[in-house]
Amino acid sequence: IVVCLGLYGLGWVLTRGANMQKFYSKLNPEAKFCFYGMVAQRKVAGTRILCSGFWGLARHVNYLGEIIQAVALALPGYLVSGSLLPWAYPLYYVALFIPRQMDDDALCKRKYGEKWEEYCRLVPWRMIPGVY
């Protein structure tokens, strides 16, 4: 239970933290910090693209959080039943978010051009820091 709660909490922090950082940036575009001064709000020059805090970890770290939460919810079902069926839930998110991330990146590249390429150099990881 502790592992499941920890995983769920980690996923929640990644998902909600990233989304809250983005929301705060839209509300206060000139702010240099968020979360009570704990997270810098740096952006790619001349854009609204955040490249620090959660958005400095990976370009779609919020999707990773959703997948981790799904794993945390599937794990007890698997441990109790031994069935692989509970893993359909996190696999659904993987199948949803990987193509969505690719589509988002293509859309942002068209929208921001060279600025998006700069962001991709600053934040090379798509969803999983250090891996993908």
Side-chain angles (χ1 to χ4, degrees):
I1 281 186
V2 173
V3 171
C4 293
L5 290 174
L7 280 173
Y8 191 85
L10 173 64
W12 186 87
V13 166
L14 290 173
T15 300
R16 301 300 164 243
N19 290 337
M20 288 170 58
Q21 182 185 3
K22 184 169 53 173
F23 176 74
Y24 184 78
S25 179
K26 288 179 181 180
L27 281 181
N28 302 293
E30 301 305 316
K32 301 294 182 204
F33 293 91
C34 66
F35 300 119
Y36 305 103
M38 294 187 296
V39 176
Q41 287 282 80
R42 287 189 311 276
K43 298 175 186 171
V44 174
T47 73
R48 297 183 311 165
I49 304 170
L50 289 166
C51 60
S52 64
F54 291 97
W55 299 102
L57 297 172
R59 298 192 299 266
H60 303 279
V61 73
N62 54 330
Y63 296 169
L64 173 63
E66 295 279 358
I67 293 167
I68 291 172
Q69 285 180 296
V71 167
L73 293 174
L75 191 56
Y78 170 72
L79 293 174
V80 168
S81 70
S83 170
L84 296 178
L85 186 60
W87 294 113
Y89 182 51
L91 287 175
Y92 162 76
Y93 274 125
V94 169
L96 173 73
F97 285 136
I98 288 179
R100 183 173 174 182
Q101 166 271 309
M102 291 174 181
D103 291 344
D104 288 349
D105 276 12
L107 178 69
C108 287
K109 185 173 182 172
R110 283 193 303 275
K111 180 177 180 178
Y112 294 106
E114 290 179 13
K115 295 294 186 175
W116 184 255
E117 291 172 12
E118 179 182 344
Y119 175 57
C120 291
R121 282 190 298 276
L122 292 169
V123 184
W125 307 111
R126 296 170 183 239
M127 289 174 51
I128 305 171
V131 178
Y132 172 78

